[in-house]
Amino acid sequence: MSRKIKSCFSRLFPKGAQIIAALLAILLLCGGCSGSSSGTSETVRIGVALYSQDDTFISAVTQQMEQLAREYEDQNGGKINLNLADGQRNQTIQLEQIDRFLDSGCDVLCVNIVDRTAAAVLIDKAVSAGIPVIFFNRQPVQEDLQRWDKIYYVGPKGEQSGIYQGEILLQKWNQEREQVDRNGDGIMQYVMLEGEPGHQDALLRTEYATKPLIENGVALEKLASDTANWSRAQAVSKMKQWCQEFGSSIEAVIANNDDMALGAIDAMKEMGIDPLPMVVGVDATAPALEALEEGSLLGTVQNAPDMPEILLQLSLALATGQEVPETITIQDEHYVWLPYHKITKETIRQIVP
C-alpha cells in the first residue's frame, strides 16, 4: 500500500524549484497555524544523528541538507536549525546524543543509526517525548518501524544496488571478454570488499552482486572476501594482502561502497597492478566519479540522490503537522523507497549533472 499527496507545485515548478516551493509552503502554513501572518518567526529544530560523519556518502547527504535549508530560509525568512551529531560508530554515544536532542526540544529526529538492532530503545525515547523519527540509509527491522505511526525509513533497497553492480560487470565481460578475462579460462575471478558485519545493505549488496552474472551463465570464482567497514583505509590494507596473494589473477573487485572501491584502486596502483581489473562500487561520491572519468573505476551505483531533499521535506511536514508533500510516496505506512541509478563512464553525463 502506498499513499501520495497531490499538489499543484508539480505543474508550476521544475524539480529543484518544486522542492523549495513545497518547503516554503509548509513553513507558511506553519506560520498561519501559530496566528502569525508569515513564517518568519517560526523555527523548526531538526536533530540529525549520524552513525559516522567520516562516511563520505553520509557527509555529502548532510551537507546537501544544510545547503537546502539555507536556500529555504533565504526565500522564506523562517529558521531551520539542523543540529548534527556524530555517533562515531558507537551506539551508546548516539543514544546519549538522542537524549540531548530530546531534552533541547527538537521537533523531529533524523537518525542514521549505528546499530539497527538498537532501534527499539531509541524509538521508545522518541515515543515518550512525542517526537517523530525518520531513520535513513541504515534500515531498522520492520517490527521496530511498526511500533509507532510517526516512525519512517527513507532509503533505497539494498538488493538493487548489488544487482546493478553485477549488471555493470556483466556488460563489460560480454563486450570485452578477451581483455578482462586475463587468464583466458572463461571464469571471472573476483574479490569482494564488504561493509560492516550485520549491516543490511552490506548483506544484500554482497548477496545480489553476483546474481546477474550467474543468471547469465558467467562462471565465477571468488578468490577472497572480507569486511572493510565502508573504509577506504581498511580496503587498502585488505587489497594489498590480496594483491600479494593473487596478483594479476584478480579480474574483478566488487566493493559494497565507493570508499572501499577507491581503497582497492589505491592499493593496486601502489602494488603496480597494471592494467587494473574491473572495479565497481556504490554511492557515486565525488571522488568515485573522478575515478570513473579517469577510467580506474568501471562503474558505481548512485545512492538515492534525492535523499537530502526527501529528509528535509518529510522532517518539516512532521515537525509542523502538515500533509506530506506530493514529492514523497510512503509505502506500507512507514517506508519511503528511493531509486538507485547505474553509472558508468559512458552514462555519467546522463545521470550526474
Side-chain angles (χ1 to χ4, degrees):
M1 177 181 178
S2 65
R3 55 189 171 93
K4 195 167 186 177
I5 310 300
K6 297 297 182 183
S7 167
C8 61
F9 288 113
S10 61
R11 297 190 301 271
L12 298 176
F13 300 92
K15 184 177 183 296
Q18 281 181 40
I19 294 161
I20 299 297
L23 297 176
L24 178 61
I26 291 171
L27 279 190
L28 290 175
L29 286 169
C30 179
C33 291
S34 65
S36 170
S37 61
S38 72
T40 56
S41 63
E42 296 298 330
T43 298
V44 175
R45 299 170 297 275
I46 304 172
V48 184
L50 310 175
Y51 97 98
S52 174
Q53 227 165 348
D54 291 336
D55 184 290
T56 305
F57 174 71
I58 294 302
S59 177
V61 169
T62 55
Q63 288 174 18
Q64 291 173 46
M65 285 182 70
E66 290 176 316
Q67 179 181 348
L68 189 58
R70 300 295 80 79
E71 293 174 0
Y72 195 43
E73 291 176 337
D74 290 343
Q75 293 196 26
N76 176 62
K79 183 70 175 175
I80 302 173
N81 283 346
L82 281 180
N83 299 307
L84 306 182
D86 183 358
Q88 303 172 45
R89 303 174 188 260
N90 185 310
Q91 189 58 63
T92 300
I93 291 175
Q94 189 174 70
L95 288 173
E96 292 171 351
Q97 293 167 341
I98 294 296
D99 285 336
R100 288 196 290 272
F101 281 151
L102 296 175
D103 291 342
S104 66
C106 277
D107 299 302
V108 63
L109 298 174
C110 292
V111 181
N112 175 227
I113 195 165
V114 174
D115 179 1
R116 64 194 293 260
T117 65
V121 177
L122 191 156
I123 289 170
D124 286 344
K125 292 175 181 289
V127 170
S128 296
I131 303 302
V133 181
I134 306 168
F135 291 97
F136 67 98
N137 199 58
R138 297 165 73 90
Q139 182 183 344
V141 298
Q142 183 178 13
E143 291 78 7
D144 286 337
L145 289 180
Q146 294 174 337
R147 293 168 70 92
W148 192 31
D149 62 356
K150 296 188 184 303
I151 305 292
Y152 299 89
Y153 174 72
V154 174
K157 295 183 178 182
E159 60 267 32
Q160 188 62 62
S161 56
I163 290 171
Y164 281 169
Q165 285 185 305
E167 290 177 353
I168 292 170
L169 291 170
L170 177 64
Q171 182 178 13
K172 186 73 170 180
W173 183 260
N174 286 338
Q175 291 178 347
E176 301 181 29
R177 176 82 58 85
E178 292 183 0
Q179 295 180 21
V180 297
D181 184 10
R182 299 186 176 195
N183 57 12
D185 65 354
I187 301 172
M188 185 187 297
Q189 279 84 18
Y190 74 97
V191 295
M192 177 81 73
L193 286 163
E194 302 175 25
E196 68 191 86
H199 189 290
Q200 185 169 15
D201 282 353
L203 295 171
L204 290 171
R205 289 171 188 174
T206 299
E207 177 184 357
Y208 280 86
T210 57
K211 286 188 179 297
L213 297 160
I214 295 170
E215 291 171 357
N216 284 273
V218 177
L220 298 174
E221 180 184 358
K222 182 168 67 176
L223 299 176
S225 179
D226 205 350
T227 59
N229 293 297
W230 312 114
S231 166
R232 186 167 182 166
Q234 290 187 37
V236 169
S237 178
K238 297 290 182 186
M239 198 66 203
K240 282 184 177 179
Q241 296 175 21
W242 294 340
C243 286
Q244 290 174 348
E245 185 173 356
F246 304 110
S248 59
S249 296
I250 300 171
E251 295 171 340
V253 179
I254 304 173
N256 285 170
N257 78 337
D258 284 341
D259 277 359
M260 294 188 296
L262 295 173
I265 292 170
D266 293 340
M268 289 186 289
K269 286 182 176 180
E270 187 174 336
M271 299 290 287
I273 304 296
D274 184 33
L276 294 174
M278 300 178 288
V279 183
V280 290
V282 176
D283 285 339
T285 62
L289 295 179
E290 290 177 6
L292 198 65
E293 298 253 42
E294 168 194 278
S296 57
L297 183 69
L298 172 63
T300 185
V301 182
Q302 190 177 38
N303 188 347
D306 293 338
M307 185 179 290
E309 300 157 358
I310 297 298
L311 287 173
L312 195 56
Q313 288 185 63
L314 185 56
S315 294
L316 291 175
L318 293 173
T320 59
Q322 303 304 316
E323 291 285 349
V324 176
E326 66 88 27
T327 49
I328 300 174
T329 299
I330 298 175
Q331 298 184 9
D332 298 324
E333 306 300 328
H334 297 279
Y335 295 90
V336 181
W337 296 116
L338 304 179
Y340 283 112
H341 303 285
K342 280 188 291 188
I343 303 180
T344 62
K345 188 174 183 178
E346 291 73 30
T347 64
I348 185 171
R349 292 305 166 208
Q350 301 170 21
I351 304 296
V352 182

